[in-house]
Short mmCIF file of all heavy atoms in Angstrom, two decimals:
data_model
loop_
_atom_site.label_atom_id
_atom_site.label_comp_id
_atom_site.label_asym_id
_atom_site.label_seq_id
_atom_site.Cartn_x
_atom_site.Cartn_y
_atom_site.Cartn_z
N PHE F 112 -9.13 21.74 50.42
CA PHE F 112 -8.21 22.39 51.22
C PHE F 112 -7.12 23.08 50.48
O PHE F 112 -6.11 23.43 50.98
CB PHE F 112 -7.52 21.41 52.20
CG PHE F 112 -8.56 20.88 53.21
CD1 PHE F 112 -9.35 19.83 52.89
CD2 PHE F 112 -8.63 21.50 54.52
CE1 PHE F 112 -10.26 19.36 53.93
CE2 PHE F 112 -9.50 21.00 55.47
CZ PHE F 112 -10.27 19.89 55.09
N THR F 113 -7.37 23.26 49.10
CA THR F 113 -6.47 24.09 48.35
C THR F 113 -6.87 25.54 48.35
O THR F 113 -8.03 25.85 48.73
CB THR F 113 -6.32 23.64 46.92
OG1 THR F 113 -7.69 23.61 46.34
CG2 THR F 113 -5.75 22.17 46.86
N GLY F 114 -6.00 26.44 47.88
CA GLY F 114 -6.42 27.85 47.83
C GLY F 114 -6.55 28.49 49.18
O GLY F 114 -5.87 28.11 50.12
N GLY F 115 -7.46 29.39 49.31
CA GLY F 115 -7.63 30.14 50.50
C GLY F 115 -6.51 31.00 50.86
O GLY F 115 -5.65 31.35 50.01
N HIS F 116 -6.51 31.54 52.05
CA HIS F 116 -5.36 32.46 52.47
C HIS F 116 -5.14 32.13 53.98
O HIS F 116 -6.01 32.31 54.78
CB HIS F 116 -5.81 33.87 52.33
CG HIS F 116 -4.70 34.85 52.68
ND1 HIS F 116 -3.70 35.17 51.85
CD2 HIS F 116 -4.54 35.60 53.87
CE1 HIS F 116 -2.87 36.09 52.52
NE2 HIS F 116 -3.37 36.27 53.68
N ALA F 117 -3.88 31.86 54.33
CA ALA F 117 -3.56 31.65 55.65
C ALA F 117 -3.15 32.92 56.37
O ALA F 117 -2.35 33.70 55.83
CB ALA F 117 -2.32 30.69 55.69
N VAL F 119 -1.02 34.29 58.53
CA VAL F 119 0.20 34.01 59.23
C VAL F 119 1.01 35.32 59.36
O VAL F 119 0.70 36.37 58.71
CB VAL F 119 1.11 32.98 58.46
CG1 VAL F 119 0.33 31.67 58.48
CG2 VAL F 119 1.28 33.52 57.08
N ILE F 123 6.57 34.47 58.74
CA ILE F 123 6.19 33.26 58.10
C ILE F 123 5.85 33.43 56.63
O ILE F 123 6.21 32.72 55.75
CB ILE F 123 5.14 32.56 58.83
CG1 ILE F 123 5.48 32.14 60.26
CG2 ILE F 123 4.61 31.22 58.08
CD1 ILE F 123 6.62 31.22 60.38
N ARG F 124 5.13 34.59 56.37
CA ARG F 124 4.74 34.90 54.98
C ARG F 124 5.98 35.14 54.10
O ARG F 124 5.93 34.84 52.86
CB ARG F 124 3.80 36.20 55.05
CG ARG F 124 3.33 36.64 53.66
CD ARG F 124 2.55 35.63 52.84
NE ARG F 124 1.35 35.25 53.61
CZ ARG F 124 0.43 34.37 53.05
NH1 ARG F 124 0.72 33.82 51.90
NH2 ARG F 124 -0.67 34.06 53.67
N TYR F 126 8.45 33.44 53.87
CA TYR F 126 8.98 32.14 53.30
C TYR F 126 8.08 31.60 52.25
O TYR F 126 8.32 30.53 51.69
CB TYR F 126 9.05 31.12 54.48
CG TYR F 126 10.12 31.39 55.44
CD1 TYR F 126 9.87 31.81 56.71
CD2 TYR F 126 11.53 31.14 55.14
CE1 TYR F 126 10.94 32.10 57.64
CE2 TYR F 126 12.53 31.30 56.06
CZ TYR F 126 12.22 31.82 57.34
OH TYR F 126 13.23 32.09 58.22
N GLU F 127 7.04 32.30 51.98
CA GLU F 127 6.10 31.78 50.93
C GLU F 127 6.76 31.42 49.56
O GLU F 127 6.49 30.42 49.00
CB GLU F 127 4.99 32.81 50.60
CG GLU F 127 3.92 32.31 49.52
CD GLU F 127 2.91 33.38 49.29
OE1 GLU F 127 2.90 34.42 49.84
OE2 GLU F 127 2.14 33.08 48.31
N PRO F 128 7.55 32.30 48.99
CA PRO F 128 8.29 31.84 47.68
C PRO F 128 8.98 30.57 47.79
O PRO F 128 8.91 29.75 46.87
CB PRO F 128 9.28 33.05 47.39
CG PRO F 128 8.61 34.16 48.11
CD PRO F 128 8.08 33.66 49.36
N LEU F 129 9.73 30.35 48.91
CA LEU F 129 10.41 29.09 49.03
C LEU F 129 9.41 27.87 49.15
O LEU F 129 9.62 26.87 48.60
CB LEU F 129 11.31 29.09 50.25
CG LEU F 129 12.49 30.12 50.17
CD1 LEU F 129 13.30 30.11 51.47
CD2 LEU F 129 13.38 29.70 48.95
N ILE F 130 8.43 28.10 50.00
CA ILE F 130 7.49 27.03 50.25
C ILE F 130 6.68 26.70 48.98
O ILE F 130 6.43 25.60 48.57
CB ILE F 130 6.48 27.41 51.40
CG1 ILE F 130 7.28 27.40 52.70
CG2 ILE F 130 5.26 26.39 51.38
CD1 ILE F 130 6.45 27.91 53.90
N ARG F 131 6.30 27.76 48.22
CA ARG F 131 5.54 27.57 46.91
C ARG F 131 6.43 26.78 46.03
O ARG F 131 5.92 25.87 45.15
CB ARG F 131 5.13 28.93 46.34
CG ARG F 131 4.27 28.78 45.06
CD ARG F 131 3.74 30.09 44.70
NE ARG F 131 2.82 30.69 45.67
CZ ARG F 131 1.54 30.40 45.85
NH1 ARG F 131 0.99 29.43 45.08
NH2 ARG F 131 0.84 30.99 46.81
N GLU F 132 7.71 27.12 45.88
CA GLU F 132 8.55 26.48 44.93
C GLU F 132 8.78 24.97 45.26
O GLU F 132 8.66 24.12 44.42
CB GLU F 132 9.92 27.18 44.85
CG GLU F 132 10.97 26.53 43.99
CD GLU F 132 10.60 26.45 42.49
OE1 GLU F 132 9.70 27.20 42.12
OE2 GLU F 132 11.28 25.68 41.81
N GLU F 133 8.97 24.77 46.52
CA GLU F 133 9.08 23.38 46.90
C GLU F 133 7.76 22.55 46.79
O GLU F 133 7.78 21.39 46.39
CB GLU F 133 9.50 23.20 48.36
CG GLU F 133 10.96 23.69 48.59
CD GLU F 133 11.96 22.96 47.79
OE1 GLU F 133 11.90 21.71 47.73
OE2 GLU F 133 12.78 23.70 47.09
N ALA F 134 6.68 23.20 47.04
CA ALA F 134 5.35 22.61 46.81
C ALA F 134 5.17 22.30 45.31
O ALA F 134 4.60 21.21 44.95
CB ALA F 134 4.18 23.49 47.29
N ARG F 135 5.61 23.24 44.39
CA ARG F 135 5.54 23.00 43.00
C ARG F 135 6.33 21.75 42.53
O ARG F 135 5.91 20.96 41.82
CB ARG F 135 5.89 24.29 42.24
CG ARG F 135 5.84 24.17 40.76
CD ARG F 135 6.46 25.39 40.02
NE ARG F 135 7.86 25.22 40.29
CZ ARG F 135 8.79 24.37 39.61
NH1 ARG F 135 8.27 23.46 38.77
NH2 ARG F 135 10.03 24.44 39.92
N LYS F 136 7.52 21.70 43.10
CA LYS F 136 8.38 20.59 42.81
C LYS F 136 7.76 19.22 43.21
O LYS F 136 7.97 18.17 42.55
CB LYS F 136 9.79 20.73 43.53
CG LYS F 136 10.56 21.88 42.96
CD LYS F 136 11.91 21.93 43.77
CE LYS F 136 12.78 23.03 43.28
NZ LYS F 136 14.03 23.24 44.09
N GLY F 138 4.47 18.69 43.32
CA GLY F 138 3.17 18.52 42.75
C GLY F 138 1.99 18.96 43.67
O GLY F 138 0.86 18.47 43.42
N ILE F 139 2.27 19.83 44.62
CA ILE F 139 1.23 20.22 45.57
C ILE F 139 1.15 21.72 45.75
O ILE F 139 0.85 22.15 46.79
CB ILE F 139 1.33 19.48 46.91
CG1 ILE F 139 2.71 19.74 47.55
CG2 ILE F 139 1.03 17.99 46.82
CD1 ILE F 139 2.75 19.35 49.01
N GLU F 140 1.40 22.45 44.62
CA GLU F 140 1.45 23.92 44.79
C GLU F 140 0.17 24.54 45.29
O GLU F 140 0.16 25.54 46.04
CB GLU F 140 1.77 24.62 43.44
CG GLU F 140 1.98 26.09 43.53
CD GLU F 140 2.52 26.73 42.24
OE1 GLU F 140 2.62 25.95 41.20
OE2 GLU F 140 2.57 27.95 42.12
N GLY F 141 -0.93 23.86 45.02
CA GLY F 141 -2.25 24.36 45.49
C GLY F 141 -2.32 24.35 47.05
O GLY F 141 -3.25 24.98 47.62
N TYR F 142 -1.45 23.65 47.69
CA TYR F 142 -1.49 23.52 49.18
C TYR F 142 -0.49 24.49 49.80
O TYR F 142 -0.20 24.40 51.02
CB TYR F 142 -1.15 22.06 49.63
CG TYR F 142 -2.27 21.13 49.19
CD1 TYR F 142 -2.22 20.38 48.03
CD2 TYR F 142 -3.39 20.96 50.06
CE1 TYR F 142 -3.12 19.59 47.67
CE2 TYR F 142 -4.42 20.08 49.62
CZ TYR F 142 -4.29 19.40 48.40
OH TYR F 142 -5.27 18.48 48.08
N THR F 143 -0.02 25.49 49.05
CA THR F 143 0.98 26.36 49.58
C THR F 143 0.55 27.17 50.91
O THR F 143 1.19 27.18 51.90
CB THR F 143 1.39 27.47 48.56
OG1 THR F 143 1.98 26.80 47.47
CG2 THR F 143 2.45 28.44 49.13
N GLU F 144 -0.71 27.59 50.83
CA GLU F 144 -1.28 28.36 52.03
C GLU F 144 -1.41 27.38 53.21
O GLU F 144 -1.12 27.76 54.37
CB GLU F 144 -2.57 28.98 51.62
CG GLU F 144 -2.48 30.09 50.64
CD GLU F 144 -1.71 31.31 51.16
OE1 GLU F 144 -1.82 31.61 52.41
OE2 GLU F 144 -0.98 31.95 50.36
N LEU F 145 -1.80 26.20 52.96
CA LEU F 145 -1.95 25.19 54.05
C LEU F 145 -0.56 24.95 54.62
O LEU F 145 -0.38 24.86 55.83
CB LEU F 145 -2.49 23.85 53.44
CG LEU F 145 -2.75 22.77 54.47
CD1 LEU F 145 -3.77 23.16 55.49
CD2 LEU F 145 -3.19 21.49 53.79
N LEU F 146 0.46 24.87 53.78
CA LEU F 146 1.79 24.60 54.27
C LEU F 146 2.36 25.84 55.08
O LEU F 146 3.07 25.60 56.09
CB LEU F 146 2.76 24.38 53.08
CG LEU F 146 2.61 22.94 52.40
CD1 LEU F 146 3.19 22.98 51.02
CD2 LEU F 146 3.19 21.96 53.28
N LEU F 147 1.97 27.04 54.74
CA LEU F 147 2.28 28.20 55.55
C LEU F 147 1.74 28.08 56.88
O LEU F 147 2.27 28.46 57.94
CB LEU F 147 1.90 29.48 54.76
CG LEU F 147 2.70 29.95 53.62
CD1 LEU F 147 1.97 30.97 52.74
CD2 LEU F 147 4.00 30.52 54.06
N ALA F 148 0.39 27.64 56.96
CA ALA F 148 -0.25 27.46 58.20
C ALA F 148 0.38 26.47 59.12
O ALA F 148 0.60 26.62 60.29
CB ALA F 148 -1.75 27.15 58.03
N ILE F 149 0.77 25.34 58.51
CA ILE F 149 1.47 24.30 59.19
C ILE F 149 2.85 24.88 59.75
O ILE F 149 3.25 24.59 60.93
CB ILE F 149 1.82 23.07 58.27
CG1 ILE F 149 0.48 22.42 57.98
CG2 ILE F 149 2.80 22.16 58.90
CD1 ILE F 149 0.61 21.26 57.00
N THR F 150 3.55 25.68 58.91
CA THR F 150 4.80 26.29 59.29
C THR F 150 4.62 27.03 60.62
O THR F 150 5.38 27.03 61.56
CB THR F 150 5.48 27.07 58.20
OG1 THR F 150 5.60 26.20 57.01
CG2 THR F 150 6.78 27.56 58.60
N MET F 164 9.84 24.24 60.01
CA MET F 164 8.79 23.28 59.73
C MET F 164 8.86 21.98 60.66
O MET F 164 8.20 21.01 60.46
CB MET F 164 8.71 22.87 58.27
CG MET F 164 8.27 23.94 57.35
SD MET F 164 7.75 23.39 55.70
CE MET F 164 6.10 22.56 56.02
N VAL F 188 8.03 20.08 53.23
CA VAL F 188 7.10 20.08 52.17
C VAL F 188 7.08 18.62 51.51
O VAL F 188 5.95 18.15 51.16
CB VAL F 188 7.49 21.14 51.01
CG1 VAL F 188 6.59 20.93 49.86
CG2 VAL F 188 7.25 22.52 51.67
N PHE F 191 5.14 16.30 53.80
CA PHE F 191 3.66 16.53 53.71
C PHE F 191 3.15 15.96 52.42
O PHE F 191 2.09 15.32 52.41
CB PHE F 191 3.36 18.03 53.76
CG PHE F 191 1.77 18.26 53.68
CD1 PHE F 191 1.05 17.99 54.83
CD2 PHE F 191 1.31 18.66 52.50
CE1 PHE F 191 -0.40 18.23 54.74
CE2 PHE F 191 -0.19 18.88 52.41
CZ PHE F 191 -0.94 18.63 53.49
N PHE F 274 -6.87 29.84 58.59
CA PHE F 274 -7.34 30.07 57.23
C PHE F 274 -8.50 30.99 57.08
O PHE F 274 -9.34 31.12 58.04
CB PHE F 274 -7.71 28.74 56.55
CG PHE F 274 -6.59 28.03 55.94
CD1 PHE F 274 -5.71 27.31 56.65
CD2 PHE F 274 -6.31 28.23 54.56
CE1 PHE F 274 -4.68 26.65 56.06
CE2 PHE F 274 -5.28 27.59 54.05
CZ PHE F 274 -4.47 26.84 54.74
#
Side-chain angles (χ1 to χ4, degrees):
F112 294 83
T113 57
H116 182 83
V119 295
I123 298 300
R124 179 61 61 179
Y126 289 106
E127 179 185 354
L129 294 177
I130 291 175
R131 185 174 297 279
E132 176 61 17
E133 291 304 311
R135 184 191 63 77
K136 291 178 181 177
I139 57 169
E140 185 175 359
Y142 294 93
T143 298
E144 294 294 322
L145 182 62
L146 289 163
L147 284 166
I149 288 174
T150 302
M164 290 195 73
V188 173
F191 180 78
F274 272 83

